[in-house]
Amino acid sequence: MTLILFTSLLCLVLILIYIYFKRRYTLINNNLPGDKPQIFFGNLLNSGFLTRKKSFHEILHDYQRRYGDKFTFWFGLQPYIVFCLPEHIQTILSDRHTFEQSSSFIPNFDLVCPNGIVVLAGAKWKRHVRVMLPVFKRAKMIQHLDTITECADHFIDQCLLDNHIHTDLVHRCQTFTMNVIGLIAFDYNLESNINSPIKIAFQDFVSYVTIVILMSWLPQWISKIYLKFNWKYQKIHRLIRELTEKIVEQEQNNSQRSKNLIASLVSSLNEQANDEQISSGLTRIEMLDEILTSMLAGYETTSTALAWFIFYMSKYPHVQQRIKQELHEHNLLMTNHVQYLPRLTSEKLDSLIYCECVTKEVLRLAPTATATTRIALRDTIVDNVPIHRGQTVIIGLNNVNTDARYWHDGHPNKFIPERFLGKDKDHHPFAMLPFGGGHRACIGQDLAWLELKLVIVRLMQRGITFEDTIENGGGYQEQLTCFPKNIAVRVHIDKI
């Protein structure tokens, strides 16, 4: 009797849940096109996202092709309005009083870094940005040029074997950026020991962050339970926290002012900092979260762009030759006449115009930032589409990067750095936003830009040539960002 009653109640609950979701999906209508959502999954299953058949940026391109420049995409139980034109982006990102960054930008990230600047809003975000923004300004980053150069040399010497086909360059690029972050943030060499516990812990931590972000279509309490009772994650998180706290204490006791990230943040330490009254600085817990957020952001984006640069160079060998020609013209290339590598300064980097164009083209084509999200703080209208307070919109950043209506110099899907010397030099200001835009643009973009351009120059300066192979198929592997899925290039080191 009890079993029958329990079964009947369970069936009733399931029927009510089905009716609830059915009504939810049926009644919400913004008169925009899009695929019909599936119960519970929304468009994540029928679009190919959950089955990993397509990356998210491929899905947004496919939807734009089928439905136009504005459409609806259901991310699990939530409908999002997607906008794909630079004019849309300009309207949304420029109105900071109507649109604020949504927690969906990096979903579930608040579970691992609840005080990270990317998940904050309002007064707390303003307090954090006053501390974080000066830390990542170009003037500060220039101080680390020699450090980044040394890391690039280590990457070349240890990872790039002459006349050898490399299939693990995505991992190698991640290791390179991790080493840069370790030295800039902590003065800590993560490459000193390939089996370093902190290095392994950080790599595993990134994997868990990726998992919880991909679980964002599920109710958040499921992700909370997953992390809370995952002993390996808890151990990794504790190890990283303990190391960071130890380095902070050492910095506080250091009489000589360092140039690293932690030194800059330690000076802002204020345990009385709050948002209820005028105050500044960060508490210790907030500072630790900001350090971890900065490490994660820098680790993923630059390594992704570097991996795509290597892939594109193997497909477009003439670009490599033109970079080396420019370096030769500036006496920065090792030749029979120049037997040493001149120190790379900010002035020398700024003088390399074609290298600048290559860096821009990598960031334009590489899907490092597929999209960003904003939440409406009040009712508004964008291009005749009514948006209600509390509704989240998706901005297709990668869509505008290759829109033929805004890129005129050569096919927009082709790797053509020269476009930035010709018709596309003065492209629409919102047709290319690799680091987002508006008041919530990436605060670390100066470091990412400098790091990417410098390593590109150093690779070519050292005579590295990347050659295509049959196995070098590209494709997309979605993690926190989108890496090339199948990369297999032959490395050749030019002889003097």
Side-chain angles (χ1 to χ4, degrees):
M1 184 66 181
T2 304
L3 180 61
I4 295 174
L5 180 61
F6 175 78
T7 304
S8 301
L9 288 174
L10 180 61
C11 291
L12 179 61
V13 169
L14 292 176
I15 290 171
L16 290 174
I17 291 174
Y18 175 80
I19 293 173
Y20 167 76
F21 286 130
K22 187 70 175 178
R23 287 177 59 84
R24 177 183 179 89
Y25 283 115
T26 303
L27 294 177
I28 295 179
N29 180 20
N30 53 26
N31 296 320
L32 287 178
D35 284 353
K36 183 179 179 180
Q38 298 172 317
I39 299 298
F40 194 66
F41 294 103
N43 295 136
L44 293 175
L45 193 59
N46 57 17
S47 68
F49 181 80
L50 286 183
T51 57
R52 312 304 290 270
K53 291 181 179 179
K54 291 182 180 179
S55 66
F56 191 54
H57 91 279
E58 289 179 294
I59 293 169
L60 292 186
H61 278 284
D62 178 53
Y63 271 58
Q64 184 184 19
R65 178 182 56 80
R66 291 191 286 136
Y67 298 120
D69 300 317
K70 45 191 179 181
F71 51 85
T72 301
F73 184 87
W74 287 78
F75 202 89
L77 305 179
Q78 296 297 325
Y80 292 82
I81 300 174
V82 183
F83 292 99
C84 300
L85 289 183
E87 290 81 6
H88 297 153
I89 298 174
Q90 186 169 10
T91 298
I92 295 170
L93 295 186
S94 300
D95 191 352
R96 62 188 301 173
H97 299 294
T98 302
F99 292 99
E100 181 55 275
Q101 185 159 287
S102 165
S103 59
S104 300
F105 171 57
I106 307 182
N108 282 343
F109 193 72
D110 56 322
L111 297 180
V112 292
C113 288
N115 297 293
I117 196 169
V118 296
V119 299
L120 301 180
K124 190 171 185 179
W125 173 81
K126 292 178 181 178
R127 176 166 59 83
H128 279 238
V129 81
R130 284 196 296 268
V131 173
M132 299 298 294
L133 193 57
V135 172
F136 288 99
K137 284 294 186 182
R138 178 178 168 82
K140 287 268 190 180
M141 295 302 102
I142 290 298
Q143 303 177 41
H144 301 293
L145 274 177
D146 291 339
T147 298
I148 300 172
T149 303
E150 290 172 6
C151 291
D153 285 337
H154 183 84
F155 171 69
I156 294 168
D157 294 335
Q158 300 297 319
C159 303
L160 303 181
L161 303 178
D162 190 18
N163 199 31
H164 181 78
I165 296 177
H166 294 265
T167 59
D168 62 343
L169 285 177
V170 167
H171 170 70
R172 296 293 186 179
C173 290
Q174 290 174 323
T175 301
F176 161 73
T177 54
M178 185 186 297
N179 195 29
V180 171
I181 293 166
L183 290 170
I184 289 177
F186 306 124
D187 287 335
Y188 187 90
N189 188 353
L190 293 169
E191 274 293 274
S192 59
N193 181 358
I194 194 169
N195 295 315
S196 166
I198 185 60
K199 176 183 174 182
I200 296 172
F202 185 70
Q203 289 174 330
D204 289 340
F205 182 75
V206 172
S207 299
Y208 283 114
V209 172
T210 303
I211 290 171
V212 297
I213 287 176
L214 293 177
M215 289 172 62
S216 59
W217 62 280
L218 297 170
Q220 195 179 64
W221 59 266
I222 295 178
S223 299
K224 287 182 180 179
I225 292 175
Y226 169 76
L227 293 178
K228 184 174 181 62
F229 293 99
N230 189 317
W231 66 268
K232 187 175 181 181
Y233 167 78
Q234 295 295 335
K235 179 181 178 180
I236 289 168
H237 194 265
R238 186 167 56 252
L239 176 62
I240 294 175
R241 291 279 179 176
E242 289 174 354
L243 173 68
T244 307
E245 289 177 354
K246 180 180 179 181
I247 295 175
V248 168
E249 291 177 4
Q250 290 175 348
E251 188 57 44
Q252 287 179 308
N253 298 326
N254 187 4
S255 58
Q256 295 182 344
R257 186 172 178 80
S258 303
K259 297 180 181 180
N260 57 38
L261 171 65
I262 284 191
S264 300
L265 294 183
V266 163
S267 62
S268 71
L269 199 58
N270 177 13
E271 291 299 337
Q272 280 70 50
N274 63 77
D275 308 308
E276 301 300 325
Q277 55 189 357
I278 298 176
S279 65
S280 60
L282 303 175
T283 66
R284 181 179 291 269
I285 293 176
E286 291 173 339
M287 184 182 66
L288 295 177
D289 270 3
E290 291 294 13
I291 291 170
L292 197 52
T293 299
S294 301
M295 290 178 66
L296 282 168
Y299 169 76
E300 277 291 312
T301 53
T302 307
S303 59
T304 301
L306 178 56
W308 281 111
F309 165 76
I310 293 173
F311 175 77
Y312 288 132
M313 289 305 97
S314 69
K315 299 294 183 180
Y316 299 91
H318 68 280
V319 174
Q320 297 183 82
Q321 295 308 312
R322 183 159 179 182
I323 295 175
K324 292 176 182 178
Q325 179 61 34
E326 182 179 54
L327 291 172
H328 178 70
E329 292 168 359
H330 287 77
N331 295 317
L332 293 174
L333 193 66
M334 184 180 289
T335 65
N336 288 322
H337 303 289
V338 182
Q339 295 291 336
Y340 66 95
L341 289 173
R343 180 173 175 266
L344 292 174
T345 63
S346 60
E347 293 76 19
K348 289 176 180 176
L349 286 176
D350 291 341
S351 70
L352 300 172
I353 305 302
Y354 187 72
C355 289
E356 183 93 355
C357 294
V358 172
T359 307
K360 288 181 179 179
E361 189 71 342
V362 170
L363 293 174
R364 186 185 71 86
L365 281 183
T368 50
T370 296
T372 187
T373 61
R374 293 292 186 269
I375 188 169
L377 303 178
R378 58 190 179 190
D379 292 351
T380 188
I381 296 176
V382 176
D383 195 11
N384 298 320
V385 178
I387 301 172
H388 302 291
R389 179 185 177 188
Q391 192 166 17
T392 300
V393 300
I394 294 178
I395 299 171
L397 296 177
N398 194 256
N399 291 61
V400 299
N401 288 354
T402 55
D403 194 321
R405 292 169 292 183
Y406 299 91
W407 298 96
H408 313 291
D409 204 342
H411 196 285
N413 287 309
K414 297 292 185 182
F415 191 90
I416 307 174
E418 292 82 1
R419 72 173 69 252
F420 292 103
L421 300 173
K423 297 178 183 178
D424 292 329
K425 180 179 180 180
D426 299 315
H427 59 81
H428 191 292
F430 285 83
M432 179 180 165
L433 296 172
F435 302 104
H439 70 293
R440 297 303 297 258
C442 174
I443 63 172
Q445 58 183 291
D446 285 346
L447 172 59
W449 181 269
L450 182 69
E451 186 180 352
L452 180 59
K453 184 176 181 181
L454 192 149
V455 71
I456 287 174
V457 170
R458 197 62 168 182
L459 285 166
M460 299 296 100
Q461 193 183 25
R462 290 279 304 268
I464 302 298
T465 297
F466 299 105
E467 299 176 350
D468 199 11
T469 66
I470 298 175
E471 298 83 6
N472 193 36
Y476 303 103
Q477 179 67 45
E478 193 126 49
Q479 298 178 30
L480 291 183
T481 54
C482 198
F483 287 92
K485 185 176 183 179
N486 298 304
I487 181 170
V489 301
R490 183 182 296 277
V491 170
H492 176 71
I493 302 176
D494 301 339
K495 306 301 180 186
I496 299 177

